[in-house]
Amino acid sequence: MKHTLTQQFNRVTEAAAIAGFEWLGRGDKNLADGAAVTAMRQQLNAMPIDGTIVIGEGEIDNAPMLYIGEKVGQSSDLQVDIAVDPIEGTRMTAFGQGNALSVMAVAEAGTLLHAPDMYMEKLIVGPAAKGVIDLHLSLEDNLRRISQALQKNLSDLTVSILDKPRHAPVIAALYQLGVRVFTFPDGDVSASLLTCFPDQPIDVMYGIGGAPEGVISAAAIRALGGDMHARLLTREQVKGSSAEHCLASREETTRCQAMGLTLGQVLRLDDLAKSDNVLFSATGITDGDLLKGVAASESSITTHSVVIDGQRQTQQWIKTVTTPDPITTKYLPTGGNDGGMVYRKNY
């Protein structure tokens, strides 16, 4: 990925985060998501790239979306795959809860998994446990292998998992094993990345969530040296039988077949993100475990982001302070050309 474009890709998630923040605590997740989608699309279309959205958020719950196969950017020789989630945690944004992010992964064309927006089972660990996970095995067997690799007792292992009814039996089984369990309400990108930071308490992220978040996480996990296995699942497999779920599952199955994917097949990290030449960008909307959220005053708006470059093996933690455009009074995080003043600090 061109180093000169790193800042521009970060501005994409900044713009989406600020747009979503406008709807913070308003109680309507679709309006928040729609605003973030529009902002992200506008920023991507202004970039000198030939980009394709290979997986996007929205189809699984009929929300606003950057659709799969959508072309973005101004035509150029730089062809890239893009996986997006303009707001990871739309419900958290709508109700003013923590850990909402705008996230995106960008990679060389043909290197990110091209899949429908559906459910995905995920097992993620940090660099110290790379190579020991196997989703063909039971979760208990995997946890024992991970604990051995980390030289920890099971009772000292910490697993993060979405607090959803579908995970209630898994959480109960984890308690029986003596494992420490951290649950979170929505969105699993933050929890996935935390497995790769040694100053964080999370050893393992497991659970069934969205496929877009899974592909985005895979790109970041690859760049951070961690490991991940995943499996695509139909809505009926995850949420049970009903006429609505059965119809959705048939559509998901048909689309997977058209994309050359096999439902239930274990996907390894190399299947999800095939290249180290990958860029991950996230900007906080609300305060969370990974990033601080947007902070606004009458005179400025502040965002906090992380940009992870797999090719260069770098992490940039960026604080951006933007003053409003004097004509429109809108905060436009595009820097220099829009009348707004932008102050950036890597830390």
Side-chain angles (χ1 to χ4, degrees):
M1 207 64 57
K2 291 182 180 179
H3 181 62
T4 54
L5 292 179
T6 300
Q7 191 176 78
Q8 291 187 54
F9 281 123
N10 176 225
R11 288 170 181 164
V12 175
T13 57
E14 281 183 356
I18 291 171
F21 176 77
E22 293 292 327
W23 294 94
L24 183 68
R26 304 293 184 184
D28 193 320
K29 66 178 187 178
N30 281 345
L31 285 177
D33 209 18
V37 166
T38 297
M40 185 170 274
R41 178 179 282 120
Q42 288 174 345
Q43 292 290 321
L44 285 170
N45 279 331
M47 292 190 65
I49 58 172
D50 179 3
T52 302
I53 306 298
V54 296
I55 190 164
E57 183 68 20
E59 293 171 328
I60 203 166
D61 51 9
N62 297 315
M65 57 185 286
L66 281 147
Y67 63 85
I68 295 171
E70 180 173 350
K71 302 293 291 185
V72 293
Q74 300 172 358
S75 182
S76 79
D77 294 332
L78 182 60
Q79 296 183 331
V80 293
D81 285 349
I82 304 173
V84 297
D85 193 349
I87 298 183
E88 194 215 14
T90 52
R91 190 170 66 85
M92 284 115 77
T93 302
F95 296 106
Q97 299 169 347
N99 274 316
L101 300 168
S102 175
V103 292
M104 177 181 66
V106 186
E108 299 173 69
T111 61
L112 292 182
L113 181 73
H114 186 190
D117 179 7
M118 58 190 299
Y119 284 104
M120 178 183 277
E121 182 183 12
K122 310 162 196 177
L123 177 62
I124 298 173
V125 294
K130 184 178 178 65
V132 306
I133 60 173
D134 187 348
L135 208 47
H136 293 101
L137 303 176
S138 69
L139 180 58
E140 179 178 345
D141 286 343
N142 273 287
L143 293 178
R144 294 192 183 280
R145 289 162 66 118
I146 293 165
S147 65
Q148 185 176 11
L150 298 180
Q151 299 182 341
K152 289 184 174 184
N153 296 322
L154 273 179
S155 59
D156 295 323
L157 209 62
T158 302
V159 178
S160 63
I161 187 170
L162 276 166
D163 188 10
K164 299 291 185 182
R166 60 179 174 268
H167 290 147
V170 179
I171 294 171
L174 291 172
Y175 286 142
Q176 286 286 0
L177 287 173
V179 173
R180 185 181 291 112
V181 180
F182 288 1
T183 62
F184 53 97
D186 284 297
D188 52 28
V189 174
S190 288
S192 299
L193 267 65
L194 292 177
T195 63
C196 292
F197 296 125
D199 61 339
Q200 295 293 331
I202 307 299
D203 298 306
V204 185
M205 202 294 292
Y206 173 77
I208 298 170
E213 293 93 339
V215 175
I216 293 168
S217 295
I221 295 301
R222 177 163 186 137
L224 291 168
D227 204 359
M228 176 176 178
H229 281 196
R231 232 184 328 233
L232 292 170
L233 302 173
T234 66
R235 192 177 305 192
E236 196 170 23
Q237 287 175 299
V238 176
K239 305 192 77 170
S241 296
S242 72
E244 178 186 355
H245 296 163
C246 183
L247 177 61
S249 297
R250 285 201 298 268
E251 292 175 354
E252 289 165 347
T253 301
T254 299
R255 295 191 65 195
C256 281
Q257 290 171 345
M259 294 177 181
L261 301 171
T262 302
L263 284 167
Q265 177 184 348
V266 173
L267 300 167
R268 301 178 184 274
L269 186 59
D270 283 344
D271 299 315
L272 299 162
K274 297 181 175 68
S275 171
D276 289 331
N277 191 9
V278 63
L279 195 74
F280 169 89
S281 179
T283 302
I285 299 172
T286 58
D287 287 351
D289 298 311
L290 185 66
L291 291 163
K292 292 182 180 179
V294 176
S297 69
E298 291 183 0
S299 59
S300 67
I301 193 160
T302 302
T303 60
H304 295 83
S305 305
V306 59
V307 178
I308 302 170
D309 188 323
Q311 189 175 42
R312 294 174 180 80
Q313 292 292 291
T314 60
Q315 302 171 30
Q316 295 182 61
W317 299 81
I318 303 168
K319 178 181 178 181
T320 304
V321 181
T322 312
T323 59
D325 180 270
I327 299 174
T328 66
T329 70
K330 294 291 185 180
Y331 293 94
L332 304 171
T334 53
N337 297 326
D338 54 32
M341 292 293 292
V342 179
Y343 303 90
R344 292 173 182 271
K345 181 181 180 181
N346 293 352
Y347 60 96

